[in-house]
Amino acid sequence: MADGLMMPEPTFRESVDLMFNRAVALMDLPPGLEEKIRVCNATYTVRFGVRLRGQIQTFTGYRSVHSEHMEPVKGGIRFATSVCQDEVEALAALMTYKCALVEAPFGGSKGGLCIDPRQWDEHEMELITRRFAYELIKRDLIHPSQNVPAPDMGTSEREMAWIADQYGRMNTTDINAKACVTGKPLNAGGIAGRVEATGRGVQYALREFFRHPEDKAAAGMEGDLDGKTVIVQGLGNVGYHAAKFISQEDGAKIVAVIERDGALCNPEGLDIEAVRDWIARHDGVSGYPDAAFCADGAEILEEECDILIPAALEGVINAGNAGMIKAKLIIEAANGPITASADEVLRRRGVVIIPDAYANAGGVTVSYFEWVKNLSHIRFGRMQRRQEEARHQLVVDELERLDRYLGDAWTLRPEFKDKYLKGADELELVRSGLDDTMRTAYQSMREVWHSRDDVQDLRTATFIVAIERVAASYRAKGL
Ligand code: NAD
């Protein structure tokens, strides 16, 4: 029998609350404040009809606001058949803690539409998305200073562009209209690097983890990402970018990819671009030539590997399989992939978990940059880039003047000159801001993890850091 099989499986929201409770039990918060932070402030449910294929189709959508200690509140919009009140409330709560952890000045929110987007064509999806957006905009549940959505599972730049346009049509004189939603395409007010941001953040989180010998030792690992074996579940926006960056730039070996229709395994490492391309053309991984196929994808979560990256959906590691997981390190790229009962089992077994509130915070971090860009109406780097290049040119000119005196004994390498002379563009600035954010947030968590005897895992440390910041914000308001 799997370790922990007898434990009752909590719902997603109950899982988040249990993890919250474990952290607050170690803190000294007044009970009233503790409750205020934990509960979800409000959840709006809307049912609306859209005439499609000759009849009225009714859809159910939600927008949940967990905490308004800072405004606007922020959180993605998910299109999936799993969407329900429990799910959006759990995700909204995670957004509160995530924003606090990475110091993005937002409260937590989340939205969702109960729909299988693959059942509708592009034009139909546009009608449905615009109608859902209309319902939320009408109630200020999409608004640049009140509530700012972003992409999540089943939504992308495309839906964000429709939402932004819908808001603009309904608020023709709002000069900040574009800031009503983030994750937009670059030509519709987006920012360079937002599409890759969550996966990029996962890479930066792993790099930071591997910089700390004590943390690696806790997971029974050494070295860096080079040569580490990795299993990824979900090759969507987050999973694809994370897998691509750590394999192409850090030398990690992706030995398995788990998708909806099954899993691909190759101990020599999978070519992530080729797999992604295959999925796009065949709507699944089945039939991909350079790997073994396993129809029961979930089974592959239990395979031998150094790092497991669940990047699809919640609850995939639960009381039923937690005892069989062999990875030494799990990084929660998805929201809530490990239930509270599985978390307990894995902790007892010494598996190190880099929790979702931190691991996938790259998305909201770059969304924050996009929102600031929209409000300032100027692209990052536009004022400084050429000036920076001119100053660097001065230094290079001066060094080359010295060069002439010293002859062959000392010359500037051409690669150095090329790199040094180039001023940072928006993408470089975004990546640098994201890297800094991920490193700083990790350090704040690990400090709590290692400095307190009563904190034995990164998740509890993450909650403590985040809750402390939310509490400070409420205290400052006199609550
Ligand atoms: P996505 O829709 O782009 O990708 C999800 C992927 O998971 C798809 O490839 C899908 O086929 C696959 N999948 C679905 N069901 C599966 C199953 N049962 N087994 C294996 N694979 C399955 O979504 P995304 O934006 O990459 O989001 C993934 C997760 O990351 C979600 O939990 C989301 O909340 C979280 N997240 C996303 C962002 C973002 O910026 N997009 C930010 C933070 C967190």
Side-chain angles (χ1 to χ4, degrees):
M1 188 190 289
D3 194 0
L5 197 63
M6 301 310 290
M7 297 171 101
E9 200 64 89
T11 67
F12 188 9
R13 195 178 51 75
E14 285 166 353
S15 265
V16 175
D17 286 352
L18 284 166
M19 292 164 180
F20 174 95
N21 290 343
R22 203 172 75 225
V24 289
L26 307 175
M27 300 173 74
D28 193 19
L29 292 180
L33 183 56
E34 185 182 309
E35 170 83 354
K36 173 74 202 84
I37 297 173
R38 187 180 53 74
V39 297
C40 193
N41 286 6
T43 302
Y44 171 69
T45 306
V46 60
R47 293 180 190 85
F48 59 89
V50 185
R51 181 169 285 282
L52 297 164
R53 303 179 190 178
Q55 66 179 88
I56 293 178
Q57 308 275 350
T58 301
F59 299 91
T60 305
Y62 305 88
R63 186 84 186 152
S64 178
V65 176
H66 175 260
S67 173
E68 291 150 295
H69 67 288
M70 286 197 189
E71 284 178 313
V73 292
K74 187 120 192 48
I77 288 189
R78 173 177 287 199
F79 284 0
T81 50
S82 63
V83 167
C84 61
Q85 184 167 343
D86 187 89
E87 188 181 84
V88 288
E89 289 188 355
L91 291 164
L94 282 177
M95 282 307 299
T96 296
Y97 310 129
K98 199 176 299 187
C99 291
L101 187 72
V102 294
E103 296 176 288
F106 305 123
S109 181
K110 201 83 179 191
L113 189 63
C114 188
I115 188 174
D116 179 356
R118 291 173 310 162
Q119 301 302 314
W120 305 95
D121 68 28
E122 183 165 1
H123 175 65
E124 291 168 332
M125 282 311 300
E126 180 173 352
L127 291 175
I128 299 163
T129 306
R130 282 185 182 275
R131 184 60 210 272
F132 183 35
Y134 169 82
E135 296 292 337
L136 298 182
I137 294 163
K138 241 177 22 177
R139 292 166 181 85
D140 289 342
L141 289 166
I142 295 178
H143 190 287
S145 67
Q146 298 287 293
N147 197 323
V148 183
D152 193 73
M153 209 161 102
T155 56
S156 64
E157 286 188 330
R158 184 183 74 166
E159 287 73 18
M160 302 308 115
W162 292 332
I163 293 172
D165 184 67
Q166 186 65 32
Y167 182 89
R169 286 183 192 195
M170 293 167 70
N171 296 274
T172 49
T173 56
D174 184 349
I175 196 170
N176 293 321
K178 281 199 165 65
C180 74
V181 66
T182 58
K184 302 177 292 291
L186 207 48
N187 61 12
I191 193 167
R194 174 60 184 89
V195 176
E196 66 168 43
T198 312
R200 186 62 84 181
V202 171
Q203 175 195 35
Y204 290 160
L206 282 170
R207 283 184 181 174
E208 183 58 18
F209 174 85
F210 278 98
R211 282 191 193 103
H212 300 281
E214 219 179 336
D215 303 8
K216 286 186 278 188
M221 283 199 268
E222 46 190 41
D224 54 23
L225 275 167
D226 193 22
K228 295 287 182 297
T229 54
V230 179
I231 296 178
V232 180
Q233 183 190 41
L235 214 62
N237 179 306
V238 179
Y240 160 69
H241 285 105
K244 173 176 148 169
F245 297 143
I246 63 170
S247 60
Q248 290 180 0
E249 297 172 12
D250 301 311
K253 213 193 295 181
I254 314 295
V255 293
V257 162
I258 309 168
E259 256 295 327
R260 276 176 211 274
D261 62 329
L264 298 176
C265 306
N266 183 343
E268 299 311 314
L270 289 156
D271 176 344
I272 290 304
E273 288 297 357
V275 176
R276 169 86 161 183
D277 189 49
W278 183 271
I279 297 173
R281 283 186 290 119
H282 300 87
D283 202 25
V285 289
S286 149
Y288 179 75
D290 298 320
F293 176 73
C294 170
D296 184 2
E299 231 175 55
I300 302 301
L301 289 169
E302 298 164 20
E303 284 299 303
E304 205 76 59
C305 66
D306 294 313
I307 306 167
L308 179 59
I309 310 185
L313 58 167
E314 55 263 20
V316 291
I317 301 172
N318 45 51
N321 62 1
M324 270 92 75
I325 300 292
K326 296 185 190 64
K328 303 179 187 112
L329 173 67
I330 305 179
I331 177 157
E332 294 185 310
N335 281 308
I338 300 178
T339 63
S341 40
D343 191 60
E344 199 77 42
V345 175
L346 292 165
R347 250 183 311 122
R348 265 192 276 129
R349 295 184 48 228
V351 179
V352 173
I353 299 168
I354 303 182
D356 45 10
Y358 167 67
N360 65 40
V364 74
T365 301
V366 177
S367 275
Y368 168 39
F369 301 157
E370 180 178 333
W371 180 73
V372 171
K373 176 186 178 181
N374 293 151
L375 294 179
S376 56
H377 301 268
I378 189 165
R379 148 170 69 76
F380 286 106
R382 183 162 173 181
M383 301 291 276
Q384 308 92 325
R385 186 174 173 189
R386 302 299 168 197
Q387 192 255 3
E388 192 188 328
E389 286 180 358
R391 288 171 72 91
H392 286 185
Q393 186 68 56
L394 276 177
V395 175
V396 167
D397 288 349
E398 195 58 15
L399 289 172
E400 285 184 335
R401 200 177 59 80
L402 285 174
D403 202 11
R404 282 196 290 279
Y405 289 116
L406 293 168
D408 285 347
W410 188 83
T411 46
L412 284 180
R413 283 180 300 126
E415 320 83 88
F416 164 80
K417 254 178 81 173
D418 289 349
K419 273 194 187 159
Y420 189 66
L421 283 177
K422 190 173 162 293
D425 61 15
E426 187 173 76
L427 182 59
E428 282 169 277
L429 292 170
V430 163
R431 285 180 180 161
S432 139
L434 174 60
D435 193 12
D436 180 60
T437 303
M438 295 308 287
R439 287 192 203 200
T440 309
Y442 186 82
Q443 283 156 21
S444 64
M445 291 150 53
R446 79 178 294 277
E447 198 192 313
V448 173
W449 182 24
H450 294 302
S451 66
R452 290 181 56 158
D453 292 338
D454 54 354
V455 176
Q456 266 126 38
D457 63 310
L458 271 169
R459 193 189 307 278
T460 308
T462 304
F463 270 95
I464 290 178
V465 173
I467 295 166
E468 191 44 66
R469 289 183 185 162
V470 178
S473 180
Y474 276 124
R475 274 192 221 108
K477 286 181 169 192
L479 203 78

